[in-house]
Amino acid sequence: MPVRASAPGKIILFGEHAVVYGEPSLSLALDRRIRIEAEEAPDGTVVNGEPLDPHRHAYIRQALRLAAPHRAFRLRNESDLPSAGGVGSSAALSVATVAAALRVVRGHAAPLHEVASLAFETEWTVQGAASPNDTSVATAGGAVLLSPDGRDPGVPLWKIERGERTWNVHRIELPRLPLVVAHTGMRARTADQVAIVRRLLDTDPSAREVLRDIGRITRQGVAALLAGDLSRVGALMDRNHACLHALGVDTPQLARLTAAARAVPGTYGAKLTGAGGGGSLIVLTDNAADVQSTLQRLGASAFAAVAGARGLEVSP
Ligand code: MEV
């Protein structure tokens, strides 16, 4: 009987890109998932009936290399998440693949911390740089805060280290948030967007100050969320978006969509979510229906998000 694993996508409320450089980030698991089935195969890994393609299946290949080197698998996967869409499909795929492969080779489920850490290494290798944000929220589910020094709110779950950096992963209880998620329809590879920010940092040292600003906004955003002050949360989302614009990962289409969403009465704030360059935006609003129809008129596909969903699940 094949092993089944599933993991959720995510939205980043605050802190994308800056978290790669040691600033905090806050994310929620989405109620949209990737599901994978895995069993050992006699020779050569096969994905959805076709031999593993090193380019198309880069995350699966790297996840298997780390979790179960020299073993071959028959894998099937399906997804509710747009790929390269800013909502964590590669992280969910890495987490589900690592967890399924470890379960097959060991005969029992691996600890969540081990899965999160190997899935992070998978993303790091494929993307050239990453933070453990996306893979940690895909593993833990709910709301996750990455804290550089461990002094931010929440219950510590695990710690992930790489080079000089340490990320303390905390679970945090948040009130249910009225969010709309919209996909621009434009795919953008996280690796390319991370490279844009890295080049900017190499050529313009003042960009470091933008990252620090995002860190401050994230901490203020967490405080506003815990105080239930949605107006302040929305204003901070707008400011976070402006910082991401300054880092070069906003696009004219994302700018148009976030501006249109902000103009809808009942909206608190809007920002791109994830790596940018296309992908998705999130809107905090009491008027989800009007925001959805406004964004849809402008060509995006929008849905009211149930955020804070279940994390990794493995069976049997
Ligand atoms: C992408 O969803 C989030 C980034 O911060 C990259 C990462 O943290 O690995 C852009």
Side-chain angles (χ1 to χ4, degrees), residues 10 12 16-17 19-20 127 130-131 134 190 194 274-275:
K10 61 90 197 41
I12 302 181
E16 50 272 269
H17 286 292
V19 66
V20 176
Q127 289 169 195
S131 79
D134 298 9
T190 301
V194 169

Side-chain angles (χ1 to χ4, degrees), residues 10 17 49 73 96 108 135-136 149 159 161 168 183 210 235 241-242 309:
K10 61 90 197 41
H17 286 292
F73 295 85
H108 56 86
T135 40
S136 287
D149 53 14
K159 193 187 273 208
E161 291 171 342
N168 296 278
H183 185 230
V210 179
H241 184 90

Side-chain angles (χ1 to χ4, degrees), residues 19-285:
V19 66
V20 176
Y21 299 93
E23 297 295 336
S25 62
L26 177 67
S27 303
L28 297 167
L30 273 181
D31 62 338
R32 300 192 168 206
R33 308 175 74 79
I34 278 185
R35 286 167 285 276
I36 191 159
E37 278 185 11
E39 56 195 333
E40 266 200 280
D43 40 39
T45 292
V46 171
V47 183
N48 295 329
E50 289 177 22
L52 182 135
D53 175 316
H55 298 293
R56 201 148 54 90
H57 303 128
Y59 288 94
I60 292 181
R61 176 176 179 242
Q62 187 58 24
L64 293 179
R65 275 187 169 172
L66 292 172
H70 317 301
R71 308 285 275 261
F73 295 85
R74 194 173 308 112
L75 301 172
R76 292 216 153 266
N77 65 350
E78 54 165 35
S79 174
D80 312 326
L81 299 162
S83 103
V87 286
S89 71
S90 59
L93 181 61
S94 303
V95 165
T97 306
V98 165
L102 289 176
R103 172 71 184 79
V104 169
V105 298
R106 291 183 185 167
H108 56 86
L112 292 184
H113 167 243
E114 186 182 6
V115 175
S117 146
L118 290 178
F120 161 59
E121 288 298 330
T122 300
E123 287 221 306
W124 178 284
T125 310
V126 176
Q127 289 169 195
S131 79
N133 178 76
D134 298 9
T135 40
S136 287
V137 70
T139 307
V144 164
L145 175 64
L146 260 61
S147 170
D149 53 14
R151 281 186 284 167
D152 292 285
V155 178
L157 290 177
W158 51 74
K159 193 187 273 208
I160 291 187
E161 291 171 342
R162 197 177 216 286
E164 74 211 19
R165 296 222 187 284
T166 301
W167 292 272
N168 296 278
V169 179
H170 293 185
R171 175 183 302 292
I172 181 161
E173 296 303 327
L174 295 182
R176 196 171 180 108
L177 295 172
L179 285 165
V180 169
V181 181
H183 185 230
T184 58
M186 197 190 275
R187 289 161 56 101
R189 289 178 57 234
T190 301
D192 297 338
Q193 303 309 308
V194 169
I196 287 173
V197 175
R198 179 185 295 247
R199 274 198 300 276
L200 180 70
L201 288 168
D202 287 346
T203 53
D204 177 3
S206 72
R208 289 260 158 211
E209 193 42 48
V210 179
L211 298 181
R212 281 192 281 272
D213 217 11
I214 294 178
R216 284 189 286 271
I217 289 170
T218 301
R219 290 206 162 96
Q220 290 165 10
V222 171
L225 281 162
L226 293 175
D229 185 348
L230 293 192
S231 302
R232 176 134 174 87
V233 175
L236 290 163
M237 287 168 66
D238 293 349
R239 275 181 54 200
N240 193 160
H241 184 90
C243 293
L244 291 164
H245 178 85
L247 291 178
V249 297
D250 190 14
T251 65
Q253 186 197 18
L254 279 166
R256 199 162 48 245
L257 290 166
T258 45
R262 284 181 198 125
V264 174
T267 292
Y268 300 103
K271 65 181 273 293
L272 72 83
T273 188
S280 296
L281 59 141
I282 51 172
V283 186
L284 186 65
T285 181

